[in-house]
Amino acid sequence: MEKPLSLTLLYTGKLAGDLALLPRLFTFIQQLRADSQQPALLFDLGGSCADDVWHCRETGGRSTLMALDAMGYHAANVAGTLDHRNREKLAEQLTMALVDDGRGWLYRPPSVRDEGISFRLRARDDAAGLQIALSPAERTTIEENAIFLGAVGAGHVGEALVDLRGAPALIRARMHTMPPDTPPNPSIAGTVEFIEQEARLLAKKRRQPPAQSRFS
């Protein structure tokens, strides 16, 4: 029997500016990617920063998104996290796609599907190919050619395995909880430290003009 052409979707959400979590989360995501033995897309469903977290306030919501980019995320829902000014600044620095009401992103590797795979805040009736809705849903389902993903919280990673042979079909959906003894990834730990240093520099710059910050 021909093996179905499938794709693994791994996703996070509601990180709320918890940079300290990310080095361990990256280790966990890498383990899940290795276990899936399938092509995998990684993205965030939103809520990456929170107004009551100091580095989120100082960077206009950019801090956590910069860390996600370093972790190899393909796309992130930034609606309600970035205003227009901060979105434009961040888009120039990242390879990760920033998805909101006005902008989606098309992933089109020839080995997956000719029409491409689109990331949108909400599914559109007139779109071809598989659509991945980045607004969290009550549960993971596929309707026509759109997949809606169940909400996930910090410290958890959602997974959906999709059969792309013919009409998209959901093979399985599950939620993974990061084990408390997951070790941090040193590279991402260093990235987090750098981001916090840049946020402190930006805060200082607002009080007195210091050296240039990447977030300025």
Side-chain angles (χ1 to χ4, degrees), residues 145-172:
N145 66 327
I147 182 165
F148 302 88
L149 298 159
V152 60
H156 303 272
V157 178
E159 178 190 358
L161 181 60
V162 182
D163 184 350
L164 296 179
R165 187 181 55 179
L170 185 63
I171 298 174
R172 68 167 181 263

mmCIF file of all heavy atoms in Angstrom, residues 145-172:
data_model
loop_
_atom_site.group_PDB
_atom_site.id
_atom_site.type_symbol
_atom_site.label_atom_id
_atom_site.label_comp_id
_atom_site.label_asym_id
_atom_site.label_seq_id
_atom_site.Cartn_x
_atom_site.Cartn_y
_atom_site.Cartn_z
ATOM 1 N N ASN A 145 -10.726 22.159 3.465
ATOM 2 C CA ASN A 145 -9.259 22.168 3.356
ATOM 3 C C ASN A 145 -8.607 23.006 4.450
ATOM 4 O O ASN A 145 -7.472 23.441 4.314
ATOM 5 C CB ASN A 145 -8.830 22.692 1.978
ATOM 6 C CG ASN A 145 -9.190 24.157 1.790
ATOM 7 O OD1 ASN A 145 -10.198 24.622 2.306
ATOM 8 N ND2 ASN A 145 -8.374 24.886 1.046
ATOM 9 N N ALA A 146 -9.313 23.236 5.552
ATOM 10 C CA ALA A 146 -8.783 24.061 6.641
ATOM 11 C C ALA A 146 -8.677 23.253 7.931
ATOM 12 O O ALA A 146 -9.577 22.474 8.265
ATOM 13 C CB ALA A 146 -9.683 25.273 6.872
ATOM 14 N N ILE A 147 -7.563 23.429 8.632
ATOM 15 C CA ILE A 147 -7.401 22.772 9.922
ATOM 16 C C ILE A 147 -7.452 23.814 11.028
ATOM 17 O O ILE A 147 -6.826 24.877 10.937
ATOM 18 C CB ILE A 147 -6.084 21.956 9.995
ATOM 19 C CG1 ILE A 147 -5.976 21.247 11.350
ATOM 20 C CG2 ILE A 147 -4.849 22.802 9.711
ATOM 21 C CD1 ILE A 147 -4.932 20.151 11.406
ATOM 22 N N PHE A 148 -8.238 23.513 12.040
ATOM 23 C CA PHE A 148 -8.389 24.364 13.219
ATOM 24 C C PHE A 148 -7.778 23.616 14.397
ATOM 25 O O PHE A 148 -8.062 22.432 14.601
ATOM 26 C CB PHE A 148 -9.868 24.670 13.466
ATOM 27 C CG PHE A 148 -10.536 25.332 12.295
ATOM 28 C CD1 PHE A 148 -11.106 24.564 11.287
ATOM 29 C CD2 PHE A 148 -10.581 26.714 12.195
ATOM 30 C CE1 PHE A 148 -11.721 25.168 10.189
ATOM 31 C CE2 PHE A 148 -11.174 27.327 11.108
ATOM 32 C CZ PHE A 148 -11.753 26.551 10.103
ATOM 33 N N LEU A 149 -6.955 24.300 15.161
ATOM 34 C CA LEU A 149 -6.143 23.638 16.179
ATOM 35 C C LEU A 149 -6.612 23.981 17.585
ATOM 36 O O LEU A 149 -6.853 25.150 17.900
ATOM 37 C CB LEU A 149 -4.678 24.042 16.000
ATOM 38 C CG LEU A 149 -4.098 23.613 14.643
ATOM 39 C CD1 LEU A 149 -2.877 24.435 14.299
ATOM 40 C CD2 LEU A 149 -3.783 22.130 14.633
ATOM 41 N N GLY A 150 -6.713 22.958 18.423
ATOM 42 C CA GLY A 150 -7.136 23.149 19.802
ATOM 43 C C GLY A 150 -6.159 24.003 20.584
ATOM 44 O O GLY A 150 -4.938 23.910 20.391
ATOM 45 N N ALA A 151 -6.685 24.849 21.454
ATOM 46 C CA ALA A 151 -5.852 25.771 22.233
ATOM 47 C C ALA A 151 -4.842 25.010 23.079
ATOM 48 O O ALA A 151 -5.091 23.884 23.531
ATOM 49 C CB ALA A 151 -6.740 26.638 23.122
ATOM 50 N N VAL A 152 -3.687 25.644 23.283
ATOM 51 C CA VAL A 152 -2.602 25.042 24.055
ATOM 52 C C VAL A 152 -2.004 26.110 24.957
ATOM 53 O O VAL A 152 -1.991 27.291 24.606
ATOM 54 C CB VAL A 152 -1.538 24.441 23.099
ATOM 55 C CG1 VAL A 152 -0.953 25.497 22.196
ATOM 56 C CG2 VAL A 152 -0.442 23.719 23.851
ATOM 57 N N GLY A 153 -1.539 25.703 26.129
ATOM 58 C CA GLY A 153 -0.965 26.647 27.078
ATOM 59 C C GLY A 153 0.539 26.497 27.197
ATOM 60 O O GLY A 153 1.147 25.580 26.616
ATOM 61 N N ALA A 154 1.158 27.384 27.951
ATOM 62 C CA ALA A 154 2.602 27.358 28.142
ATOM 63 C C ALA A 154 3.028 26.031 28.781
ATOM 64 O O ALA A 154 2.347 25.499 29.661
ATOM 65 C CB ALA A 154 3.045 28.525 29.017
ATOM 66 N N GLY A 155 4.162 25.496 28.326
ATOM 67 C CA GLY A 155 4.641 24.218 28.841
ATOM 68 C C GLY A 155 4.047 23.025 28.137
ATOM 69 O O GLY A 155 4.319 21.875 28.515
ATOM 70 N N HIS A 156 3.249 23.278 27.111
ATOM 71 C CA HIS A 156 2.627 22.207 26.332
ATOM 72 C C HIS A 156 2.889 22.449 24.852
ATOM 73 O O HIS A 156 3.084 23.590 24.420
ATOM 74 C CB HIS A 156 1.123 22.137 26.585
ATOM 75 C CG HIS A 156 0.760 21.955 28.021
ATOM 76 N ND1 HIS A 156 0.638 20.713 28.611
ATOM 77 C CD2 HIS A 156 0.515 22.865 28.995
ATOM 78 C CE1 HIS A 156 0.322 20.861 29.885
ATOM 79 N NE2 HIS A 156 0.246 22.161 30.145
ATOM 80 N N VAL A 157 2.871 21.383 24.062
ATOM 81 C CA VAL A 157 3.021 21.476 22.619
ATOM 82 C C VAL A 157 1.911 20.660 21.974
ATOM 83 O O VAL A 157 1.742 19.477 22.286
ATOM 84 C CB VAL A 157 4.395 20.952 22.153
ATOM 85 C CG1 VAL A 157 4.507 21.012 20.627
ATOM 86 C CG2 VAL A 157 5.521 21.753 22.791
ATOM 87 N N GLY A 158 1.155 21.307 21.108
ATOM 88 C CA GLY A 158 0.126 20.604 20.362
ATOM 89 C C GLY A 158 0.717 19.931 19.134
ATOM 90 O O GLY A 158 1.704 20.401 18.567
ATOM 91 N N GLU A 159 0.106 18.818 18.744
ATOM 92 C CA GLU A 159 0.560 18.093 17.553
ATOM 93 C C GLU A 159 -0.649 17.648 16.743
ATOM 94 O O GLU A 159 -1.647 17.173 17.291
ATOM 95 C CB GLU A 159 1.387 16.862 17.936
ATOM 96 C CG GLU A 159 1.839 16.037 16.733
ATOM 97 C CD GLU A 159 2.442 14.700 17.117
ATOM 98 O OE1 GLU A 159 2.544 14.407 18.323
ATOM 99 O OE2 GLU A 159 2.809 13.928 16.206
ATOM 100 N N ALA A 160 -0.561 17.827 15.445
ATOM 101 C CA ALA A 160 -1.576 17.297 14.533
ATOM 102 C C ALA A 160 -0.856 16.666 13.354
ATOM 103 O O ALA A 160 0.050 17.279 12.775
ATOM 104 C CB ALA A 160 -2.514 18.402 14.059
ATOM 105 N N LEU A 161 -1.225 15.453 13.015
ATOM 106 C CA LEU A 161 -0.668 14.759 11.860
ATOM 107 C C LEU A 161 -1.730 14.753 10.771
ATOM 108 O O LEU A 161 -2.845 14.261 10.985
ATOM 109 C CB LEU A 161 -0.256 13.339 12.232
ATOM 110 C CG LEU A 161 0.370 12.499 11.109
ATOM 111 C CD1 LEU A 161 1.638 13.160 10.574
ATOM 112 C CD2 LEU A 161 0.673 11.085 11.607
ATOM 113 N N VAL A 162 -1.380 15.306 9.613
ATOM 114 C CA VAL A 162 -2.344 15.503 8.532
ATOM 115 C C VAL A 162 -1.933 14.692 7.316
ATOM 116 O O VAL A 162 -0.778 14.737 6.876
ATOM 117 C CB VAL A 162 -2.438 17.000 8.157
ATOM 118 C CG1 VAL A 162 -3.481 17.214 7.061
ATOM 119 C CG2 VAL A 162 -2.777 17.845 9.377
ATOM 120 N N ASP A 163 -2.896 13.938 6.765
ATOM 121 C CA ASP A 163 -2.703 13.207 5.521
ATOM 122 C C ASP A 163 -2.998 14.174 4.376
ATOM 123 O O ASP A 163 -4.097 14.711 4.281
ATOM 124 C CB ASP A 163 -3.660 12.009 5.482
ATOM 125 C CG ASP A 163 -3.463 11.129 4.259
ATOM 126 O OD1 ASP A 163 -2.726 11.533 3.335
ATOM 127 O OD2 ASP A 163 -4.057 10.041 4.222
ATOM 128 N N LEU A 164 -2.007 14.397 3.498
ATOM 129 C CA LEU A 164 -2.162 15.344 2.398
ATOM 130 C C LEU A 164 -2.449 14.662 1.067
ATOM 131 O O LEU A 164 -2.440 15.308 0.026
ATOM 132 C CB LEU A 164 -0.901 16.202 2.278
ATOM 133 C CG LEU A 164 -0.580 17.105 3.462
ATOM 134 C CD1 LEU A 164 0.711 17.872 3.206
ATOM 135 C CD2 LEU A 164 -1.723 18.065 3.736
ATOM 136 N N ARG A 165 -2.701 13.373 1.066
ATOM 137 C CA ARG A 165 -3.030 12.673 -0.174
ATOM 138 C C ARG A 165 -4.522 12.883 -0.452
ATOM 139 O O ARG A 165 -5.377 12.394 0.264
ATOM 140 C CB ARG A 165 -2.705 11.185 -0.037
ATOM 141 C CG ARG A 165 -2.864 10.395 -1.331
ATOM 142 C CD ARG A 165 -2.547 8.941 -1.104
ATOM 143 N NE ARG A 165 -3.348 8.377 -0.018
ATOM 144 C CZ ARG A 165 -3.262 7.115 0.358
ATOM 145 N NH1 ARG A 165 -2.414 6.304 -0.220
ATOM 146 N NH2 ARG A 165 -4.016 6.664 1.351
ATOM 147 N N GLY A 166 -4.818 13.649 -1.493
ATOM 148 C CA GLY A 166 -6.203 14.005 -1.749
ATOM 149 C C GLY A 166 -6.635 15.125 -0.819
ATOM 150 O O GLY A 166 -5.858 16.003 -0.457
ATOM 151 N N ALA A 167 -7.896 15.093 -0.395
ATOM 152 C CA ALA A 167 -8.385 16.102 0.542
ATOM 153 C C ALA A 167 -7.682 15.917 1.884
ATOM 154 O O ALA A 167 -7.486 14.789 2.336
ATOM 155 C CB ALA A 167 -9.896 15.971 0.716
ATOM 156 N N PRO A 168 -7.284 17.026 2.544
ATOM 157 C CA PRO A 168 -6.597 16.887 3.833
ATOM 158 C C PRO A 168 -7.439 16.104 4.837
ATOM 159 O O PRO A 168 -8.648 16.313 4.955
ATOM 160 C CB PRO A 168 -6.407 18.342 4.286
ATOM 161 C CG PRO A 168 -6.476 19.145 3.037
ATOM 162 C CD PRO A 168 -7.438 18.433 2.146
ATOM 163 N N ALA A 169 -6.804 15.196 5.560
ATOM 164 C CA ALA A 169 -7.493 14.376 6.552
ATOM 165 C C ALA A 169 -6.650 14.335 7.817
ATOM 166 O O ALA A 169 -5.426 14.236 7.762
ATOM 167 C CB ALA A 169 -7.739 12.967 6.027
ATOM 168 N N LEU A 170 -7.324 14.421 8.965
ATOM 169 C CA LEU A 170 -6.630 14.401 10.247
ATOM 170 C C LEU A 170 -6.355 12.956 10.651
ATOM 171 O O LEU A 170 -7.281 12.166 10.842
ATOM 172 C CB LEU A 170 -7.482 15.112 11.302
ATOM 173 C CG LEU A 170 -6.854 15.284 12.685
ATOM 174 C CD1 LEU A 170 -5.606 16.163 12.604
ATOM 175 C CD2 LEU A 170 -7.882 15.890 13.649
ATOM 176 N N ILE A 171 -5.096 12.592 10.758
ATOM 177 C CA ILE A 171 -4.720 11.253 11.187
ATOM 178 C C ILE A 171 -4.777 11.140 12.705
ATOM 179 O O ILE A 171 -5.307 10.181 13.255
ATOM 180 C CB ILE A 171 -3.308 10.898 10.677
ATOM 181 C CG1 ILE A 171 -3.286 10.913 9.144
ATOM 182 C CG2 ILE A 171 -2.860 9.538 11.208
ATOM 183 C CD1 ILE A 171 -1.897 10.718 8.548
ATOM 184 N N ARG A 172 -4.197 12.144 13.382
ATOM 185 C CA ARG A 172 -4.286 12.166 14.843
ATOM 186 C C ARG A 172 -4.026 13.587 15.340
ATOM 187 O O ARG A 172 -3.415 14.400 14.650
ATOM 188 C CB ARG A 172 -3.275 11.201 15.474
ATOM 189 C CG ARG A 172 -1.818 11.607 15.316
ATOM 190 C CD ARG A 172 -0.909 10.777 16.236
ATOM 191 N NE ARG A 172 0.478 11.185 16.094
ATOM 192 C CZ ARG A 172 1.365 10.581 15.313
ATOM 193 N NH1 ARG A 172 0.992 9.508 14.626
ATOM 194 N NH2 ARG A 172 2.610 11.019 15.236
#
